[in-house]
Amino acid sequence: MAKVQSVKNWNNFPEVESTVYSFRTSGELQKLLRESPKVIARGAGLSYGDASLGEHVLSTHYFNKILSFDPYTGVLRAESGVTLRDILEVIVPKGWFLPVTPGTKNVTLGGAVAADVHGKNHHAEGSIANFIRRIRLMTGDGVLMHCSATESRDVFMHTCGGMGLTGVILDVTLQLKKIETSYINQRNIVAPNLKRLLELLRANGDATYSVAWIDCLARGKHRGRGVVMLGEHSTRRDLAEKHQKEPLTVHQAAGWKIPFHFPHFALSRPAVQLFNAYFYAKYRWSKKDFQVHYDTFFYPLDGIKDWNRMYGRKGFLQYQFVLPFDGGEQALDAVLERICKHGAASFLAVLKLMGPESSPVSFPMPGYTLALDIPMSSRLFALLDELDELVVAHGGRIYLAKDARSKRHVLQQGYPRIDKFRSIRKLTGAFKKFESLLSRRLEL
Amino acid sequence: MSKIPANKSALILGGTSDIGMAVAECLAFEGWSLILTGRNEDYLHRIANDLQIRSGSSVQSRYFDATDTGTHKTFFQSLEIVPELCVCLFGYLGEQEKGMKQWREAEQIIQVNYTGAVSILNLVANEFNARGLGTIIGVSSVAGDRGRGSNFLYGSAKAALTTYLSGLRSRCYHYGVHVATIKPGFVATRMTESLDLPASLTAAPGQVAKAICRAYYKRNNVVYVLPVWKLIMTCIALIPEQLFKRLKL
């Protein structure tokens, strides 16, 4: 069934008029693929860009069944429209966790694979592709294809991180991670500047989870000040007394909701500066070691429904890039300086370490990755173009799941193996059937 | 019959519909064992399997075709347990215009919405009455409250179902068996996907499911899922026929 509607992703930009098709069985999808023009699959619509947007969109919303779960081996097979939230509700009580999780549990499994998502453990355990046993993919001519690290390897490697451009992911078999409790032992360490912050991150490279929040608006010798947060799954032994009775609880529903789009002044530089200073001070004076539920550690923003409204009606852009360790520190410093000078206020700037990449088209590479949310303004595009050049000049690349505006040459420089991706798309016929605003913009 | 009524088990006729899935989810998470029926066996099996994994309750799937009334008796007898609750929610909206021109379409509308429901519910009611225990919940429609020019093939079949359920309620009452009639109004489902429905008058499948579960526990007789529909239909029923026939509703 098809419906024409206006579609946008989480950052409210861009917005397009699309025909949205949905399907409940693979037979229905096959029929749709035969009849529809060029399409792109779309899950929960939580990417920050145009990867799942186009004139014709295939929604996986109703293709959302968990197919099997073995609580003894931790192998789960689920359809692409199942959300990570749904999966957690099934697996956590049985002592399993997602091997890799992005910062929200509301994304779909299909979307997570298409973006080859990474988490706070990328430096140690890699991206989600490392844990996929098998993908069932429907190609442009409606043929069902099994792919994995051993079967149709090329298609598999380019589907993880392929932004839905190799076919429609039907279902995914995933190896989960064993946990004893649903809690995390967290340690916060405050860093007064960028140099110290990166040192701390590197020195804690053996932590299972690590992430840093940066105050982008701090200037001079404070530039890059922030908080490094480390996490380990709590064992039964170190679980606090009050949780001993129920060590494997799942997350709660969102408690807060942003009721309307914030007005523009709420995002003015002084307002965000105040917010950031408060945050920094709070961390500085609060407890350094404590135990939190996984929901608080991994998904702090899921607790606030519609938080994207904080950025106002015009929306925002998220900008995420990775820079190799070699020369990365200087480049990061330069990026922060530009952002500070530009006055682009960002509530959220998140820095992480990355390990080796797992697929030729996926975003991660060994180095530092920084993600920033910046409210929409006319001057923003020029700033980001400038940052793009800086990033690729230092051997880095930008994250396609969070991109709505970068140029073709930036992609070309950042992803040296992208031509292989193009040829695979041609070879499998995906080029003729799957197209998104992103694939058109970057000529993929 | 000699079958022992199992506690807390429900038969959901029309398990692949969006409302059916929502009802099944509601009940399964409350610990009910379920038997879901439908015609697309692969899809039905996936739904049942998913729900069983997520809820931990037993969820079986069975092939059932509402229009194939000859098979209903065998189908019902083949169930290993007689459920305590039967929710009947298969339906076919069809196309009014097509139905006026092609008897096949009109017949399909009548058979799915009325004949098929009567055929299976007679069997269920007889069994429940013999046992003196059970609840039947039939999903009818506000479209059956008055025949409108744009939608009266579907409406008349649902009107017949509403009348049937009303009579069945009275008959079963004397055996201690309860019958509830649910009138959902607009619901955002696959059946209405291509229609442009006003949001304030449209319920989500989950809301209908909640109303169905509540009707079971509270032994409601007739339930309008969104209260506004009761008001709307009362007003529509009050319009004199002289005027009503002139309206293009």
Side-chain angles (χ1 to χ4, degrees):
Chain A
M1 271 298 183
K3 198 166 190 173
V4 179
Q5 61 191 84
S6 157
V7 181
K8 50 193 177 170
N9 286 334
W10 185 243
N11 62 326
N12 291 330
F13 176 87
E15 187 170 356
V16 274
E17 195 76 7
S18 303
T19 311
V20 181
Y21 306 84
S22 53
F23 58 98
R24 284 158 172 88
T25 63
S26 52
E28 283 176 27
L29 174 64
Q30 211 161 31
K31 199 162 160 270
L32 276 173
L33 286 175
R34 288 208 182 108
E35 291 164 3
S36 72
K38 286 187 174 185
V39 286
I40 188 70
R42 182 167 187 264
L46 292 175
S47 73
Y48 298 77
D50 55 3
S52 63
L53 298 179
E55 277 95 46
H56 299 274
V57 167
L58 273 174
S59 166
T60 60
H61 185 81
Y62 295 104
F63 200 68
N64 61 348
K65 306 286 174 277
I66 294 177
L67 302 171
S68 66
F69 168 54
D70 183 341
Y72 299 100
T73 58
V75 175
L76 173 118
R77 188 169 151 239
E79 290 172 352
S80 50
V82 171
T83 63
L84 302 188
R85 165 194 293 269
D86 293 334
I87 293 176
L88 288 168
E89 281 167 12
V90 169
I91 65 172
V92 169
K94 304 278 184 209
W96 296 93
F97 199 70
L98 295 165
V100 167
T101 177
T104 168
K105 59 186 177 295
N106 297 324
V107 298
T108 63
L109 182 59
V113 173
D116 189 24
V117 294
H118 57 270
K120 299 174 172 49
N121 55 344
H122 193 274
H123 60 285
E125 295 172 309
S127 63
I128 199 163
N130 290 2
F131 301 90
I132 298 172
R133 290 278 186 83
R134 197 169 78 164
I135 293 173
R136 285 203 319 148
L137 191 75
M138 193 168 279
T139 64
D141 6 282
V143 177
L144 201 72
M145 190 169 178
H146 293 227
C147 54
S148 67
T150 51
E151 288 168 276
S152 307
R153 184 180 162 84
D154 256 351
V155 176
F156 174 75
M157 295 303 265
H158 290 84
T159 296
C160 301
M163 308 315 281
L165 294 166
T166 56
V168 180
I169 297 170
L170 286 179
D171 58 69
V172 179
T173 309
L174 197 64
Q175 175 63 57
L176 304 167
K177 181 184 208 174
K178 188 102 190 98
I179 49 169
E180 286 184 32
T181 76
S182 55
Y183 292 84
I184 301 284
N185 292 345
Q186 185 175 342
R187 163 169 291 182
N188 288 350
I189 313 169
V190 172
N193 54 45
L194 185 69
K195 188 165 183 296
R196 180 80 189 114
L197 190 111
L198 297 181
E199 266 170 27
L200 277 168
L201 274 176
R202 283 194 309 263
N204 289 289
D206 57 340
T208 308
Y209 300 107
S210 72
V211 60
W213 167 80
I214 292 193
D215 176 358
C216 277
L217 295 178
R219 292 177 215 229
K221 65 179 178 22
H222 298 300
R223 185 157 64 228
R225 73 172 178 185
V227 185
V228 174
M229 301 167 195
L230 309 171
E232 299 293 337
H233 287 284
S234 314
T235 59
R236 269 308 281 271
R237 265 219 351 245
D238 47 40
L239 192 62
E241 187 61 38
K242 59 181 173 186
H243 301 311
Q244 283 288 353
K245 265 194 183 150
E246 286 181 274
L248 290 163
T249 54
V250 296
H251 49 262
Q252 305 283 312
W256 297 80
K257 183 185 159 106
I258 304 290
F260 51 81
H261 288 283
F262 276 18
H264 220 65
F265 63 80
L267 298 159
S268 63
R269 193 186 167 96
V272 177
Q273 237 164 356
L274 202 69
F275 174 88
N276 284 358
Y278 163 76
F279 234 67
Y280 185 73
K282 191 184 132 187
Y283 280 115
R284 208 163 160 190
W285 301 113
S286 61
K287 267 209 305 215
K288 309 279 182 283
D289 281 285
F290 48 98
Q291 204 163 56
V292 289
H293 191 260
Y294 72 76
D295 207 24
T296 315
F297 186 75
F298 291 107
Y299 315 114
L301 284 168
D302 283 358
I304 308 166
K305 209 168 168 244
D306 299 330
W307 66 260
N308 54 348
R309 289 179 170 173
M310 288 198 304
Y311 286 97
R313 205 170 286 282
K314 282 199 263 176
F316 62 104
L317 290 180
Q318 186 167 86
Y319 188 64
Q320 183 171 358
F321 59 87
V322 57
L323 286 162
F325 286 117
D326 187 23
E329 189 170 332
Q330 290 74 19
L332 261 179
D333 198 51
V335 168
L336 285 177
E337 192 189 347
R338 296 269 174 99
I339 290 171
C340 203
K341 213 166 79 194
H342 175 269
S346 177
F347 281 117
L348 272 173
V350 173
L351 198 129
K352 286 186 294 253
L353 292 186
M354 291 198 136
E357 54 221 279
S358 13
S359 111
V361 280
S362 74
F363 163 67
M365 65 159 84
Y368 306 108
T369 177
L370 181 69
L372 309 151
D373 285 353
I374 312 174
M376 191 61 80
S377 72
S378 49
R379 295 185 308 147
L380 181 58
F381 290 85
L383 169 74
L384 296 184
D385 281 341
E386 214 180 296
L387 295 183
D388 279 350
E389 300 299 337
L390 209 151
V391 166
V392 293
H394 283 85
R397 58 170 74 127
I398 63 164
Y399 191 10
L400 296 182
K402 298 183 175 178
D403 177 37
R405 29 70 41 198
S406 77
K407 307 230 160 56
R408 187 183 191 272
H409 72 273
V410 175
L411 172 91
Q412 208 64 29
Q413 267 178 275
Y415 292 81
R417 287 179 284 177
I418 201 71
D419 284 330
K420 172 94 186 275
F421 180 69
R422 290 193 175 101
S423 67
I424 284 195
R425 265 179 43 85
K426 293 236 163 76
L427 211 67
T428 59
F431 181 75
K432 280 185 287 182
K433 196 72 214 180
F434 301 104
E435 180 187 81
S436 59
L437 294 188
L438 178 126
S439 78
R440 228 188 296 163
R441 176 165 57 83
L442 299 173
E443 295 168 33
L444 283 169
Chain B
M1 287 194 208
S2 59
K3 284 178 189 168
I4 302 155
N7 217 15
K8 287 251 183 190
S9 82
L11 171 65
I12 298 177
L13 301 164
T16 55
S17 67
D18 289 339
I19 299 178
M21 276 194 274
V23 172
E25 184 162 330
C26 241
L27 294 173
F29 278 97
E30 285 185 15
W32 290 71
S33 323
L34 303 180
I35 304 160
L36 307 184
T37 77
R39 283 173 304 147
N40 184 339
E41 284 182 280
D42 171 55
Y43 186 35
L44 188 67
H45 178 72
R46 279 166 48 219
I47 293 170
N49 192 39
D50 168 74
L51 196 53
Q52 181 156 312
I53 293 171
R54 289 192 295 122
S55 70
S57 293
S58 148
V59 186
Q60 297 178 34
S61 59
R62 288 296 181 84
Y63 178 83
F64 173 80
D65 182 348
T67 59
D68 194 358
T69 51
T71 61
H72 288 185
K73 195 164 184 185
T74 327
F75 160 78
F76 193 60
Q77 281 173 346
S78 74
L79 301 180
E80 287 104 29
I81 44 166
V82 176
E84 185 193 339
L85 167 65
C86 171
V87 186
C88 176
L89 38 70
F90 52 78
Y92 177 58
L93 184 58
E95 288 172 47
Q96 174 73 26
E97 276 314 307
K98 193 173 162 194
M100 293 305 286
K101 293 186 189 104
Q102 299 171 18
W103 171 241
R104 189 69 210 98
E105 176 78 354
E107 195 182 25
Q108 182 80 1
I109 293 172
I110 296 164
Q111 281 189 344
V112 177
N113 293 306
Y114 185 57
T115 322
V118 171
S119 162
I120 185 67
L121 292 184
N122 275 349
L123 292 165
V124 175
N126 289 340
E127 180 70 28
F128 282 12
N129 286 347
R131 202 175 55 178
L133 177 75
T135 301
I136 294 171
I137 299 181
V139 176
S140 190
S141 171
V142 296
D145 287 9
R146 197 162 188 183
R148 292 175 299 125
S150 61
N151 191 21
F152 64 87
L153 285 174
Y154 176 75
S156 62
K158 285 295 194 186
L161 179 64
T162 303
T163 309
Y164 169 81
L165 289 170
S166 156
L168 191 68
R169 176 159 41 248
S170 177
R171 177 187 166 97
C172 292
Y173 174 77
H174 302 284
Y175 296 89
V177 172
H178 180 63
V179 178
T181 310
I182 309 291
K183 298 183 181 180
F186 295 146
V187 189
T189 64
R190 191 222 282 266
M191 189 162 97
T192 57
E193 217 163 34
S194 55
L195 307 176
D196 215 2
L197 302 174
S200 56
L201 299 180
T202 308
Q207 281 175 291
V208 184
K210 266 193 196 146
I212 288 174
C213 293
R214 203 177 324 118
Y216 167 78
Y217 291 111
K218 298 212 158 178
R219 293 175 88 82
N220 297 131
N221 296 317
V222 180
V223 177
Y224 287 84
V225 173
L226 296 179
V228 62
W229 276 103
K230 188 168 187 178
L231 184 75
I232 294 172
M233 295 324 290
T234 308
C235 295
I236 288 183
L238 286 173
I239 303 172
E241 198 65 24
Q242 275 299 342
L243 175 62
F244 191 73
K245 69 177 181 187
R246 290 178 168 81
L247 299 176
K248 286 198 167 170
L249 281 172

